[in-house]
Every structure is written in C-alpha cells, then in structure tokens.
C-alpha cells in the first residue's frame, strides 16, 4: 500500500493534459486525507476516477449542509463511490414481495410513552454489525430482531448467525447476497426450528452452501408477526409494548451520505415495490417536534451515528411501514 501511494504522489505532480482538473487543490487534499483515514490505495487512473467521484459527493454534502435541513451529511467509507456502485454492492436490487395486507399484530390501547430506546432498557441489543459488500441487510435485520426478542424473553443476549440465513433460507424467497426479507427469514427459522450463533456459523459476506447443524441451534421462532402494510402506528405499538421491529424502506443517494439527525427525504418513494434495504427499529422519540425512529443499521459502527440513524416517524417515510415484522419466541 505504501508503495502505491508513493508512486502516485510522484506521478501526480506531472502535468496531465487528458485529465482536466475539475477539483481544487483543497478538494484533492481532502480526498487524500479521506484515503488515509479509510486506508485506501489506488492505481493512478483509478485515483483520478475516485477523486472525481469523491469531489462530486463532497460538493453535494457541503451543499446539503448549508441548507435548511433536519439531518447533516458527511464523509464516510462510501464517499468515493457513485450511488449506482453503492446500490449494486449494498442494497436489494430487485423488488421484494413485501405486502402483508393483513398483518397479525394486535394493537393495545393506543397509549404509548413519548420515547422508547431498547438499548437503554437493559442488555437487549447487540453491537452494530457490518454486512460488507453483500446484499444481506435482510439477514442482519432478522438476527438483530431475533437477538433482541430472545434477550427480552430469556435475559440472554446471543449473537446470531447471518450466514446461516444467507446460505440456507432460499426456499422462503430469500436469495443470499442478492436479497431477501426479514419476514421471510423469520418464516425460514420457524420452519427450520433453529438458528445457530455467529460464532458457530460465522459471517463471510458471500453466498455459500448450507452448513446448518441442528444440534447447534441457539434460537428459534414460534410465530412470525407481520405489521399490516403502511400501518406505522402498529410499529409504534409493537416497539413500545414488545420489542424492536424489523422493517425495510427505500435508500436513495442522499441516505448514503447520512451523518446525523432526523433523516427525511423527498427523493424516496413510499410504496412496497421500492424498498431496497432492511434494518431494525430499536426505539423512537422526537426532536424539536419532529417524531423519529431510532434505527440500527448494518454498515458498521463508523457509519452514521455510531452505526445508527434517525428517520422521520409518522409519514411512512421512504416506505418504512411497507413491510415490517417481528418474531415471537
Ligand atoms: C426550515 O424548515 C422547517 C421545516 O420544513 C420550516 O418550518 C422552517 O420555516 C424552515 N426555515 C427556513 C429559514 O426556511
Ligand atoms: C416473489 O414471490 C414469487 C412467488 O412466490 C417468486 O417467484 C419470486 O421469486 C419472489 N420474488 C423475490 C424477489 O423473492
Ligand atoms: C408474513 O409475511 C411473510 C412474508 O412476507 C409471509 O410468508 C407470511 O405468510 C406472513 N405471515 C403471516 C402470519 O401473515
Ligand atoms: C405516499 O405519499 C403520497 C404523497 O405524499 C401520499 O398521498 C400517499 O398517501 C402515500 N402513500 C403511502 C402508502 O404512504
């Protein structure tokens, strides 16, 4: 890595006619600082390509941050990627079958606390994980939810296996690194009568053959509860009274640069056919009159607010109430 950097530093001072510098020295300096922070090394041509993309992203971020906004954007490990590249590597690229027209969740009396945060109620939420370049968000949403539901029921917080879901849950319309849905993954676990731990069935961020060992089952699902589509109040009810809830929504480019604050967007859609990312609602609250969800993501602790984000609540923002679900154990 050090060699590659040295080479480009030497070459970079040579005049280059075919590469019009549509970035300032300051922007190039910011790019080098970013490369250093995220431990990146590029061959010369790729260096200029990434610098160009980085510069465009950085300008969008700065522009967004000077406007009237409820959330800030910032640099992160995705800052030198186009959204098309990001989508191919990290999001669900096909429309999913999420349309629980009549879910099984039964609501309470409609009286809820103003805020709930399962991270603070006890040892119920595992640390943020990292899916890497594999469209397996749905497995992390699933394990995150089942980990919490199991911990609330038993007092024992386990780390459960995403890879088992990537490798073994195909019969329930799941497709490993090419996508799936938490509700379908819960159905698989219920049918399979078991999910192994992270330690016994570790994550590889790649499709593999199923290596499930029934004798090592550590958790299971008795019943799958779907939230009736677009009934966001039922999600509030479930999070307030029972446990964190898995949901899917549509990620658009502005979300890739999210840093902190209450995310809301006019770019995303609110329908079931557009959802492309699955995550876990671990609580809710409000800030300056804007209600929000507290959400655990699976892009590592370095992304967003220590791996979490807030998203506006009450408007089915980006279709977040289109296909929510949770298991009973
Ligand atoms: C900023 O946006 C909020 C919410 O949309 C709005 O109430 C407020 O008036 C705006 N402020 C300015 C200075 O435009
Ligand atoms: C949706 O369901 C249909 C019918 O079960 C199935 O053929 C199709 O592959 C599913 N789509 C996805 C993206 O899983
Ligand atoms: C919940 O949703 C899944 C997948 O979308 C579906 O297969 C299942 O039948 C639903 N479960 C119930 C109890 O409605
Ligand atoms: C989607 O947004 C449109 C425009 O704001 C709104 O009229 C519609 O009711 C929303 N649909 C759902 C399912 O949330």
């Amino acid at each position: 890595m050090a060699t590659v950097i040295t080479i480009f530093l030497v070459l970079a001072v040579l005049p280059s006619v075919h590469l019009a510098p549509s970035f300032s020295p300051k922007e190039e300096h910011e790019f080098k600082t970013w490369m250093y922070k995220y431990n990146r090394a590029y061959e010369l041509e790729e260096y200029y390509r990434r610098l160009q993309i980085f510069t465009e992203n950085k300008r969008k971020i700065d522009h967004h941050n000077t406007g009237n906004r409820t959330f800030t954007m910032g640099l992160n490990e995705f800052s030198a990627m186009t959204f098309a590249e990001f989508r191919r590597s990290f999001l669900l690229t096909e429309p999913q079958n999420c349309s629980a027209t009549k879910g099984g969740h039964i609501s309470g009396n409609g009286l809820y606390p103003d805020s709930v945060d399962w991270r603070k109620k006890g040892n119920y939420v595992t640390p943020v994980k990292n899916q890497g370049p594999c469209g397996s968000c749905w497995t992390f949403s699933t394990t995150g939810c089942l980990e919490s539901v199991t911990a609330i029921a038993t007092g024992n917080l386990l780390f459960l296996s995403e890879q088992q879901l990537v490798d073994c849950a195909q019969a329930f319309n799941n497709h490993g690194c090419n996508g799936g849905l938490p509700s379908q993954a819960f159905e698989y676990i219920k049918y399979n009568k078991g999910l192994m731990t992270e330690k016994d069935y570790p994550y590889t961020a790649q499709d593999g053959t199923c290596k499930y060992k029934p004798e090592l089952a550590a958790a299971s699902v008795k019943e799958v509860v779907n939230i009736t589509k677009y009934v966001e109040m039922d999600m509030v009810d479930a999070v307030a009274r029972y446990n964190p809830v898995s949901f899917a929504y549509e990620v658009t480019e502005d979300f890739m640069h999210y840093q902190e604050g209450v995310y809301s967007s006019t770019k995303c859609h609110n329908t079931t056919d557009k959802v492309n990312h699955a995550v876990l609602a671990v609580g809710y609250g409000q800030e300056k009159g804007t209600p929000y969800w507290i959400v655990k993501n699976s892009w590592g602790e370095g992304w967003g607010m220590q791996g979490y984000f807030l998203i506006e609540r009450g408007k089915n923002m980006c279709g977040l109430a289109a296909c929510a679900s949770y298991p009973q154990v």
Side-chain angles (χ1 to χ4, degrees):
M1 149 138 190
T3 326
V4 180
I5 289 184
T6 317
I7 291 168
F8 92 65
L9 284 177
V10 173
L11 292 174
V13 298
L14 299 171
S16 165
V17 281
H18 61 286
L19 292 159
S22 41
F23 46 85
S24 67
K26 179 167 171 280
E27 285 167 329
E28 183 166 19
H29 178 73
E30 283 164 345
F31 180 57
K32 286 180 183 164
T33 307
W34 176 88
M35 279 180 65
Y36 183 75
K37 176 167 178 191
Y38 290 97
N39 204 16
R40 302 299 161 93
Y42 302 114
E43 301 292 336
L44 187 60
E45 214 173 296
E46 186 66 0
Y47 172 83
Y48 280 109
R49 214 172 88 74
R50 291 299 150 196
L51 170 55
Q52 198 60 58
I53 296 167
F54 175 89
T55 301
E56 281 163 28
N57 283 337
K58 181 71 168 61
R59 287 176 189 176
K60 283 180 200 161
I61 291 167
D62 292 346
H63 177 76
H64 170 89
N65 288 345
T66 57
N68 185 17
R69 72 257 171 334
T70 57
F71 72 101
T72 53
M73 292 186 179
L75 296 176
N76 59 35
E77 66 167 313
F78 308 131
S79 300
M81 287 180 116
T82 65
F83 183 62
E85 289 172 327
F86 179 74
R87 180 167 38 205
R88 270 198 302 280
S89 295
F90 295 94
L91 300 177
L92 308 177
T93 48
E94 273 181 59
Q96 303 293 317
N97 288 320
C98 69
S99 53
T101 39
K102 181 77 190 81
H105 178 78
I106 296 160
S107 275
N109 62 8
L111 299 173
Y112 314 110
D114 288 341
S115 64
V116 169
D117 188 344
W118 282 100
R119 296 171 301 179
K120 295 181 181 154
K121 279 175 174 268
N123 194 24
Y124 296 138
V125 182
T126 60
V128 169
K129 303 182 190 180
N130 196 339
Q131 69 185 78
C134 162
S136 56
C137 57
W138 59 279
T139 68
F140 288 85
S141 172
T142 302
T143 55
C145 197
L146 185 55
E147 285 164 351
S148 293
V149 171
T150 304
I152 293 163
T154 66
N156 192 9
L157 184 64
L158 301 166
F159 288 56
L160 296 173
S161 172
E162 291 78 28
Q163 195 63 38
Q164 182 185 333
L165 302 173
V166 169
D167 294 349
C168 311
Q170 276 75 358
F172 292 79
N173 274 336
N174 299 303
H175 315 278
C177 285
N178 291 314
L181 281 179
S183 57
Q184 295 164 176
F186 294 135
E187 293 288 346
Y188 156 77
I189 299 164
K190 178 184 163 190
Y191 169 87
N192 189 58
K193 299 188 172 66
L195 185 65
M196 287 164 61
T197 61
E198 189 93 67
K199 189 167 150 286
D200 287 336
Y201 201 146
Y203 187 63
T204 65
Q206 283 175 356
D207 290 308
T209 53
C210 185
K211 297 165 207 71
Y212 176 63
K213 298 195 183 80
E215 69 276 16
L216 293 179
S220 196
V221 167
K222 262 205 207 108
E223 214 42 76
V224 185
V225 183
N226 297 324
I227 303 283
T228 302
K229 76 171 167 180
Y230 307 139
V231 185
E232 195 171 351
M233 268 321 284
D234 279 1
M235 291 171 66
V236 175
D237 187 89
V239 170
R241 296 196 302 137
Y242 299 129
N243 44 252
V245 166
S246 288
F247 73 89
Y249 68 110
E250 187 191 8
V251 166
T252 46
E253 181 174 356
D254 51 359
F255 192 80
M256 182 173 118
H257 307 302
Y258 172 90
Q259 187 166 54
E260 62 179 333
V262 181
Y263 177 79
S264 79
S265 174
T266 51
K267 308 252 165 56
C268 57
H269 303 82
N270 60 9
T271 47
T272 54
D273 57 322
K274 298 287 187 205
V275 307
N276 59 9
H277 189 48
V279 288
L280 182 70
V282 300
Y284 63 80
Q286 48 193 309
E287 185 182 273
K288 298 191 202 109
T290 305
Y292 60 75
W293 289 106
I294 305 167
V295 190
K296 186 186 187 190
N297 201 353
S298 51
W299 296 342
E301 286 182 340
W303 180 89
M305 300 166 75
Q306 283 85 50
Y308 282 80
F309 66 96
L310 309 178
I311 185 169
E312 190 169 359
R313 175 166 57 93
K315 292 182 178 167
N316 182 29
M317 181 57 67
C318 303
L320 66 80
C323 50
S325 61
Y326 63 90
Q328 286 171 339
V329 301

